[in-house]
Amino acid sequence: MSTAERIAPSYLEEGFSLRSWLGTRDHKRIAILYALGITFFFFLGGLAAALIRLELVTPAGDVLSAETYNKVFTFHGVVMVWFFLIPSIPATLGNFLLPLMIGARDMAFPRLNLFSWYLYIVGGLFTIACLLLGGVDTGWTFYTPFSTMFSNSNVMLAVVGVFVVGFSSIFTGLNFIVTIHTMRAPGMTWFRLPLFVWSMYAVALVMMLATPVLAMTLALIALERLFGVGIFDPALGGDPLLFQHFFWFYSHPAVYIMVLPAMGVVSELITAGVRRRIFGYKFMVWAIVGIAVVGFLVWGHHMFVSGQSMYAGIIFSILSFIIAVPSAIKVFNWTATLYKGDISFTAPLLYALGFVGLFMLGGLTGLFLAATALDVSLTDTYFVVAHFHYIMVGGSVMAYLGGIHYWWPKITGRLYSEAWARFAAILMFFGFNLTFFPQYVLGWEGMPRRYHEYLPQYQVLNVLSSAGATILAVSYLLPLGYLLWSLRHGARAGANPWNAQGLEWTTPSPPTLHNFEETPQVTGGPYAYEQP
Amino acid sequence: MSVTVRHLREQFDDAVQQREASTLGMWAFLTTEILFFGVLFAGYAFCRVMFPEAFAAASRHTDMLLGTLETAALLTSSCAAALAVREVQLGGRRAATWLLLATAALGSAFLVMHGFEYVAEYHEGLIPGLRYTQHGPHAASMQLFFCLYYFITGFHGLHVSIGVGLLLAMAWRTHRGAFDQDYHTPLELTALYWHLVDIVWIFVYPLIYLIGRAL
């Protein structure tokens, strides 16, 4: 382990001034900058969620007025989607690990990388300004003509914020694509890439190809608000449905921006946790690519009841069923990887297993919604809310936290408290299910989403859900506590505390500025664990 | 050799890798540009199918002569940009500088001509939201055409303006001797970007000025 000996200072010791951080080009420091921003927005969005759950404890709308409630759930959606979920894994773990995993010194475009972070922050400031000046009440989807003609809230500021942060993800995607294509170490062929890198490649493609459509659509909204005319204006013969097509052309692939990285993380976590080669590596790769490609062709399933043609509905429905196939392949392969594995229930593996279970439940209920006949009665009910929270919160957030735990020793050079981490992971799993499983039932029984009051018959399940949300909040605050504690008091981590495979574990913890003393030579595929 | 080392950034192993990364980066960026414009073209296609007569009537209000001259200016400029790259590859710094200046000048001429169009359209009352004085059976839906027209040409004009700025910077750097046979990637990528601006216009020109005009 000659490379693991401390020769140069770690990236954290390269400079201690504020300037050395805010002007850094180092992908690892930029990842830390993102992590700070993302954590802030996660708890901000979580605060909005807490208000929503508080309001829904009683059937009457007593805590928040209807208008305020609209603003709160809009803020929750906008912040969680664009300022937490989309950048979460790619911008933090992806930025940190991508060059390390392929044996590169940095991203292809380090300055562009830093610029992306500044765009993220500027977009965030617009969103916070929007909140401080009274918020926005359109829902995170900005549906026309409400957003263009009728809403009296700060639509412009919110739209500008999302527009700006969109460029952050376009440039991040571009950087990833170029880095993976041109910066791989000698011998690191495409089919020797860790699955996390493959997931970053797929997600970068989606970011690059889908986000421009959102940006342009939001620009059209802004102009329509500004000048009072535009192509979505029904008075001129323009079509609000066209807006929905454009919006979901981005926003459905955006769901895969959120979940593909999670799948990549989980593949790393499971192989390291059970010390087994991934089952069906090539199937996993093609499943990632397949999800990214087919993900572009299913957006119409958000519009089954919006008035799109019946035939379009049928085609979108079939395509939505098809995309379940690669997702299922992944679940089967993760499960098969566990078989005869040397399973140790460390916190990262607990998170990963939690992901698989919750993702499966979220995915299967997605099939309910992909069925046109069933969707008519389930549209805009809590069934939909529960479905996408299972994927995004149960899936992506679990995987994100699992990844943070797994690579924490690499990022910080410290070990966290494993006992606390396991407790938090298990608490999170139960808290999550208590929060969101009742919402499936509520939706099935017909409770609509986006209202601040409801019929008294739904109260029991709503109280259960709010109670679960409290547990969930505790389980999110716990890692914040013990992870920060470990920065000062945690034991020092060696280069490879998990005894895991992967180039990132051949570098010292934390790595040096240029990651590798000399460019590594790759001679085999990933996950070369000894098979039993 | 010394020239290529001078320009090599520390994250790359050698000049070839750096060149490949920069080129792929530009191509990837141009792909995103196509999607930016793609939204507008999709919106145009949708509205045109919904209101064919209104779109034909509206397109008759555009200035075909100026539009054609603009097209000629932009196509010629793209040729000049390509020649400039070739000159640098062959070592002709002086000629390349002049060709780049010519490209920028033609790009500016494009913008000026379009400015005249906008002014004339303002006087004619064709700008929805600012000054729209049209009457008749298609007056309402014609606004969809004009919204798209201003948005597409405005967004394209923004690209032309950025391109002119980049071309001037490249002309200056060429003049100062920053590029030679071994190293001229920024120049090549600027030309690539300029060709995209050109290609987008090749689609915009018939959509705005030509289709349905004779109906």
Side-chain angles (χ1 to χ4, degrees):
Chain A
M1 269 300 188
S2 62
T3 47
E5 286 161 22
R6 179 67 64 206
I7 302 157
S10 80
Y11 79 99
L12 292 170
E13 297 156 347
E14 280 290 335
F16 297 93
S17 63
L18 195 61
R19 197 157 155 250
S20 74
W21 280 91
L22 294 182
T24 185
R25 315 265 165 83
D26 183 357
H27 66 102
K28 301 182 286 298
R29 285 196 167 202
I30 295 171
I32 303 286
L33 291 176
Y34 267 115
L36 295 175
I38 281 162
T39 308
F40 170 75
F41 278 108
F42 176 70
F43 283 102
L44 199 63
L47 216 56
L51 277 176
I52 293 171
R53 284 321 316 171
L54 183 65
E55 167 60 65
L56 294 177
V57 170
T58 56
D62 35 20
V63 181
L64 306 171
S65 69
E67 286 79 16
T68 316
Y69 184 78
N70 289 348
K71 287 176 178 174
V72 169
F73 74 67
T74 303
F75 185 73
H76 171 68
V78 168
V79 164
M80 286 303 203
V81 168
W82 282 296
F83 295 93
F84 174 69
L85 280 166
I86 284 180
S88 61
I89 295 176
T92 54
L93 294 174
N95 248 330
F96 195 94
L97 293 166
L98 190 59
L100 284 167
M101 282 183 163
I102 63 173
R105 281 191 288 278
D106 204 324
M107 290 287 179
F109 307 120
R111 272 189 299 182
L112 185 67
N113 202 8
L114 181 65
F115 181 61
S116 307
W117 181 75
Y118 277 103
L119 286 176
Y120 171 77
I121 293 299
V122 171
L125 289 177
F126 271 106
T127 306
I128 290 174
C130 167
L131 173 74
L132 294 179
L133 293 174
V136 58
D137 63 353
T138 58
W140 75 283
T141 51
F142 301 116
Y143 265 20
T144 54
F146 181 67
S147 63
T148 47
M149 297 168 76
F150 302 110
S151 173
N152 292 319
S153 56
N154 290 298
V155 180
M156 274 303 245
L157 278 173
V159 161
V160 172
V162 175
F163 181 85
V164 172
V165 84
F167 281 88
S168 163
S169 54
I170 291 173
F171 291 140
T172 303
L174 192 150
N175 222 337
F176 282 13
I177 296 270
V178 175
T179 305
I180 296 172
H181 266 279
T182 61
M183 310 281 280
R184 283 171 287 128
M188 181 58 95
T189 56
W190 283 92
F191 283 109
R192 285 177 181 172
L193 288 174
L195 288 171
F196 180 73
V197 177
W198 267 108
S199 76
M200 284 300 119
Y201 185 74
V203 84
L205 271 181
V206 179
M207 279 176 164
M208 234 177 62
L209 298 180
T211 319
V213 175
L214 173 77
M216 216 57 199
T217 309
L218 293 178
L220 285 168
I221 289 225
L223 285 180
E224 190 156 339
R225 255 188 105 77
L226 217 56
F227 294 103
V229 285
I231 60 168
F232 305 131
D233 184 352
L236 307 179
D239 197 341
L241 208 58
L242 184 64
F243 169 82
Q244 293 185 24
H245 277 291
F246 286 158
F247 181 81
W248 290 112
F249 183 85
Y250 163 80
S251 288
H252 196 78
V255 175
Y256 298 104
I257 298 180
M258 302 173 206
V259 84
L260 278 170
M263 293 170 161
V265 167
V266 164
S267 301
E268 304 297 318
L269 264 46
I270 288 186
T271 48
V274 306
R275 318 203 51 71
R276 289 267 295 167
R277 191 166 285 164
I278 193 87
F279 184 87
Y281 172 83
K282 283 202 176 174
F283 269 94
M284 291 301 250
V285 170
W286 292 119
I288 288 172
V289 176
I291 290 171
V293 172
V294 183
F296 271 103
L297 307 173
V298 300
W299 78 88
H301 67 216
H302 294 270
M303 301 165 59
F304 284 153
V305 297
S306 296
Q308 78 180 354
S309 93
M310 184 181 80
Y311 301 104
I314 291 170
I315 289 167
F316 281 123
S317 169
I318 292 170
L319 285 164
S320 307
F321 278 113
I322 286 174
I323 205 166
V325 175
S327 311
I329 287 175
K330 298 196 79 71
V331 172
F332 291 139
N333 285 0
W334 287 320
T335 316
T337 306
L338 299 175
Y339 180 64
K340 284 190 176 171
D342 177 14
I343 298 176
S344 51
F345 288 102
T346 56
L349 188 66
L350 289 176
Y351 279 109
L353 296 176
F355 167 91
V356 175
L358 298 178
F359 172 75
M360 201 169 65
L361 207 54
L364 288 176
T365 49
L367 293 179
F368 288 46
L369 295 166
T372 41
L374 205 47
D375 186 67
V376 171
S377 71
L378 292 177
T379 291
D380 280 339
T381 66
Y382 265 85
F383 193 87
V384 178
V385 176
H387 157 68
F388 70 73
H389 279 88
Y390 263 77
I391 300 286
M392 292 178 189
V393 186
S396 302
V397 179
M398 286 292 255
Y400 172 65
L401 285 171
I404 290 285
H405 282 82
Y406 177 62
W407 283 291
W408 186 258
K410 182 55 61 189
I411 296 170
T412 64
R414 300 284 185 157
L415 297 174
Y416 59 85
S417 155
E418 189 60 33
W420 276 106
R422 287 181 201 184
F423 173 67
I426 294 168
L427 191 68
M428 201 174 293
F429 185 79
F430 285 107
F432 176 84
N433 279 301
L434 186 57
T435 311
F436 291 102
F437 199 84
Q439 298 188 6
Y440 277 130
V441 185
L442 283 170
W444 193 259
E445 289 177 358
M447 179 173 162
R449 61 192 284 209
R450 295 183 162 171
Y451 289 95
H452 73 143
E453 48 192 9
Y454 53 83
L455 296 176
Q457 72 215 49
Y458 299 130
Q459 187 171 13
V460 174
L461 288 168
N462 268 302
V463 169
L464 280 179
S465 180
S466 293
T470 319
I471 297 174
L472 203 52
V474 173
S475 71
Y476 287 142
L477 286 167
L478 277 175
L480 194 67
Y482 63 75
L483 287 178
L484 290 179
W485 188 84
S486 80
L487 286 181
R488 189 166 281 275
H489 305 287
R492 295 212 177 261
N496 190 357
W498 305 108
N499 208 3
Q501 296 283 330
L503 282 180
E504 77 270 28
W505 299 108
T506 65
T507 64
S509 302
T512 54
L513 176 62
H514 287 312
N515 300 342
F516 300 96
E517 286 306 315
E518 49 198 271
T519 310
Q521 298 280 331
V522 182
T523 53
Y527 317 120
Y529 296 101
E530 280 173 34
Q531 301 296 314
Chain B
M1 182 63 196
S2 62
V3 180
T4 49
V5 169
R6 182 156 53 91
H7 292 285
L8 189 64
R9 295 192 184 278
E10 59 186 11
Q11 68 269 29
F12 296 111
D13 289 332
D14 51 40
V16 177
Q17 190 187 33
Q18 171 165 297
R19 196 185 137 89
E20 277 177 4
S22 308
T23 311
L24 181 63
M26 182 47 94
W27 278 106
F29 177 70
L30 296 186
T31 315
T32 68
E33 289 280 26
I34 288 172
L35 280 138
F36 274 107
F37 282 103
V39 173
L40 299 174
F41 287 138
Y44 177 94
F46 175 80
C47 294
R48 174 128 215 157
V49 169
M50 297 296 282
F51 304 100
E53 288 100 359
F55 267 54
S59 80
R60 277 193 287 275
H61 286 278
T62 58
D63 191 328
M64 192 166 69
L65 179 64
L66 271 176
T68 310
L69 287 175
E70 287 156 18
T71 311
L74 215 50
L75 290 182
T76 317
S77 79
S78 228
C79 175
L83 287 174
V85 175
R86 189 182 143 78
E87 280 300 327
V88 168
Q89 283 169 343
L90 297 174
R93 218 168 76 196
R94 218 178 127 75
T97 309
W98 281 111
L99 281 164
L100 285 167
L101 287 175
T103 314
L106 285 164
S108 312
F110 172 91
L111 288 173
V112 170
M113 283 191 273
H114 224 119
F116 280 117
E117 268 192 82
Y118 287 153
V119 171
E121 280 146 8
Y122 179 79
H123 289 302
E124 212 183 320
L126 291 173
I127 306 185
L130 282 181
R131 191 160 180 277
Y132 190 75
T133 55
Q134 300 301 307
H135 300 286
H138 299 306
S141 313
M142 272 165 64
Q143 292 187 69
L144 293 178
F145 176 91
F146 286 110
C147 287
L148 284 161
Y149 164 70
Y150 290 112
F151 209 77
I152 293 175
T153 55
F155 191 54
H156 179 262
L158 178 71
H159 281 76
V160 176
S161 315
I162 293 171
V164 168
L166 286 174
L167 286 164
L168 289 175
M170 288 302 137
W172 174 247
R173 287 179 69 182
T174 311
H175 174 67
R176 294 289 303 266
F179 305 125
D180 54 31
Q181 283 103 323
D182 292 329
Y183 176 75
H184 49 265
T185 316
L187 179 59
E188 217 175 333
L189 300 186
T190 307
L192 206 52
Y193 170 82
W194 190 252
H195 295 321
L196 175 97
V197 171
D198 185 24
I199 286 172
V200 169
W201 183 258
I202 289 177
F203 285 91
V204 174
Y205 173 61
L207 290 181
I208 300 291
Y209 296 92
L210 301 183
I211 301 178
R213 219 183 159 88
L215 283 182

